[in-house]
Amino acid sequence: MRRLLLLPALTAALLTACTGTEEVTYAVQLNVLTDTDASGRATGLRALNTDGGAVNTVTVAGGVQVLPTSSTRRVITVRTDAAETRAPDGSDPQPFADPGFTPCYTRAAQDAARTRLLLLSECSGVQRAALFDSASRTLVWSALLPTYLPPVTTTDTPPTRLAVQGDVGLITRARLNGGSEVIRVAVPTTGGSAEASVPLAIPAVFDLAPYGGRLLAATATGIQALKTTGEPDSATTLAAFGAVRYDRLWTGGASGTLLAAWRSDVLAGTGDTPLRLWDGAATTAATVATLSGIRDLTLPSDGKAYVLAGSGLNRYDVTLGLSTGNWAPRTLTTLTAPLSIAWTVPTTTP
């Protein structure tokens, strides 16, 4: 009987000895846009495992952003002239529908469930928005935005940001006389084509993110929920992050309850600034690390956070960090000019 019990272990040992390697199965995979050119667009899409090992690299033209999909089996790549979903290794591009105009895509955003994709096109000063169904890649609506008169850009000028909730798109952009302005785009209740609202002057908004059934804005006085008009509501400031400024927001995790926030080190005038993470329940957001030059961040369903900071891809153990304070930081690899990161579930081979 003891000989029979030993057979499985012995067989596994022999297989390892014969091949010299032991296959590791990864729950998720990473996709990173890298090698940005003089225009700030990426020219390569790298598929990496969550230990930083290379899986595949494909060439892209004018890479803007990568985003996960609701199915998690494909990744969205947004380029200046098109958007598509791809297999986890970057192959098999399947394009989103024609938006009805020649696009110059510059930014993208998703709703909390990742069922809608909102794209902003900026061609020669003309801004248009297009909303797509992510699963079918079909166009829901497109709209011309009101004429934009941007202020002189400084390091402190609020960036243009997007958010989507249901079939409603929101765009915030810097206002000529200071602060930001918000535009709401939706199909009227009476039907017809999507319409853009008159820009509404609001306090400066530095980032937007869907979280907990609301849209959140990073402002100079904290992270606040948006009113239905698109204006930040100071009465909803998240106490866990304090009434201080943040410049970037990210959401994710297995149940969508994680919220990460970071203030740009360029604006703070310091070498490193805290990356903070909240689980939606604690009284105070935890500090994951102090970092400079964060380009992007993704929070998959594997209990980790993957951060593009400078040229490094860093991993932090969120599950361990929230429970013990030990984030087990590790730099997985160094990349050439990384721009954006997303996650997928790799295809398993029988």
Side-chain angles (χ1 to χ4, degrees):
M1 180 64 70
R2 291 189 60 186
R3 291 179 181 176
L4 292 174
L5 291 173
L6 288 172
L7 278 176
L10 181 59
T11 301
L14 287 172
L15 287 173
T16 301
C18 290
T19 62
T21 61
E22 184 175 350
E23 185 177 353
V24 178
T25 302
Y26 294 92
V28 300
Q29 186 172 285
L30 306 173
N31 296 88
V32 187
L33 285 175
T34 64
D35 302 277
T36 51
D37 56 24
S39 68
R41 303 305 179 208
T43 60
L45 176 65
R46 296 175 185 267
L48 306 169
N49 65 42
T50 49
D51 283 330
V55 175
N56 194 30
T57 300
V58 296
T59 299
V60 298
V64 173
Q65 199 168 338
V66 285
L67 306 100
T69 62
S70 57
S71 72
T72 72
R73 291 292 183 178
R74 294 181 68 83
V75 65
I76 295 172
T77 53
V78 179
R79 301 180 291 107
T80 52
D81 62 352
E84 63 257 331
T85 66
R86 293 174 181 259
D89 66 355
S91 66
D92 187 32
Q94 297 181 9
F96 280 80
D98 187 325
F101 55 85
T102 301
C104 306
Y105 294 135
T106 57
R107 298 184 188 280
Q110 294 172 300
D111 62 339
R114 301 192 292 272
T115 60
R116 291 289 188 264
L117 175 68
L118 180 64
L119 298 178
L120 178 68
S121 174
E122 300 180 272
C123 297
S124 303
V126 177
Q127 292 185 325
R128 296 179 184 270
L131 184 70
F132 296 87
D133 179 283
S134 295
S136 64
R137 307 187 309 279
T138 55
L139 180 69
V140 178
W141 53 248
S142 65
L144 176 67
L145 302 187
T147 301
Y148 185 34
L149 299 173
V152 176
T153 302
T154 70
T155 56
D156 203 28
T157 301
T160 299
R161 295 299 190 200
L162 312 180
V164 56
Q165 190 170 42
D167 286 344
V168 178
L170 289 177
I171 298 94
T172 61
R173 58 192 191 185
R175 189 167 177 262
L176 190 59
N177 295 323
S180 294
E181 60 186 25
V182 62
I183 299 166
R184 183 179 184 274
V185 187
V187 175
T189 55
T190 54
S193 301
E195 297 179 357
S197 67
V198 174
L200 173 67
I202 60 174
V205 167
F206 302 101
D207 206 359
L208 296 169
Y211 182 80
R214 304 183 294 179
L215 294 179
L216 299 181
T219 77
T221 55
I223 300 171
Q224 302 165 358
L226 296 182
K227 300 177 182 179
T228 55
T229 57
E231 182 181 4
D233 184 357
S234 59
T236 64
T237 302
L238 294 182
F241 288 92
V244 297
R245 173 172 169 168
Y246 292 94
D247 294 284
R248 296 296 308 274
L249 300 175
W250 299 270
T251 60
S255 57
T257 57
L258 298 178
L259 174 63
W262 179 73
R263 183 178 181 188
S264 169
D265 55 289
V266 174
L267 300 175
T270 61
D272 300 281
T273 55
L275 170 64
R276 305 187 68 195
L277 187 72
W278 187 47
D279 63 1
T283 56
T284 304
T287 297
V288 178
T290 53
L291 296 167
S292 61
I294 293 183
R295 307 300 299 275
D296 200 6
L297 179 158
T298 193
L299 294 162
S301 57
D302 66 345
K304 306 294 194 296
Y306 300 90
V307 184
L308 297 178
S311 59
L313 170 59
N314 302 330
R315 184 179 69 198
Y316 301 90
D317 192 320
V318 172
T319 304
L320 184 65
L322 289 175
S323 60
T324 69
N326 177 15
W327 299 90
R330 180 182 171 187
T331 298
L332 302 180
T333 190
T334 299
L335 301 166
T336 303
L339 178 65
S340 181
I341 184 170
W343 64 278
T344 55
V345 175
T347 303
T348 55
T349 303

